[in-house]
């Protein structure tokens, strides 16, 4: 069963962005998209940060780690 994208975006916006008072919703959405696109691949925080920097979303591995932790707390992903 496929989860509708609108549901995922709703969870991210309501449960994560608002609860954690995130400063960069676009970054959170991009991290979510990256993880969804690479769901079966092993990856690292640095790899995610580098990929986002390559598309002009300035971040670092610490911020990516925090945002992924928020996704896990909302049960969007499991480590």
């Amino acid at each position: 069963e496929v989860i509708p994208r609108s549901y995922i975006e709703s969870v991210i916006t309501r449960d994560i962005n608002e609860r954690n008072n995130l400063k960069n919703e676009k970054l959170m959405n991009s991290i979510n998209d990256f993880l969804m696109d690479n769901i079966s691949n092993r990856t690292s925080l640095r790899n995610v940060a580098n990929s986002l920097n390559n598309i002009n979303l300035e971040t670092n591995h610490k911020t990516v780690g925090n945002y992924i932790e928020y996704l896990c707390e909302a049960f969007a992903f499991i480590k």
Side-chain angles (χ1 to χ4, degrees):
E1 181 177 337
V2 176
I3 299 173
R5 183 166 188 77
S6 61
Y7 177 78
I8 297 293
E9 290 173 354
S10 172
V11 168
I12 290 171
T13 299
R14 192 171 52 248
D15 288 350
I16 299 173
N17 292 344
E18 291 176 7
R19 184 182 328 149
N20 297 291
N21 197 25
L22 299 183
K23 294 177 173 56
N24 193 339
E25 288 184 34
K26 184 176 180 179
L27 179 61
M28 175 57 85
N29 291 331
S30 295
I31 290 171
N32 181 64
D33 289 344
F34 180 91
L35 295 174
M36 293 295 286
D37 290 343
N38 293 282
I39 197 91
S40 63
N41 300 327
R42 294 191 75 171
T43 191
S44 69
L45 299 177
R46 192 168 309 279
N47 178 282
V48 176
N50 289 341
S51 295
L52 295 172
N53 286 326
N54 288 338
I55 60 169
N56 296 322
L57 282 172
E58 292 301 318
T59 190
N60 59 56
H61 69 281
K62 290 181 182 180
T63 300
V64 169
N66 290 336
Y67 280 35
I68 289 174
E69 189 64 35
Y70 301 149
L71 286 164
C72 292
E73 289 171 2
F75 301 104
F77 290 94
I78 299 172
K79 288 186 190 179

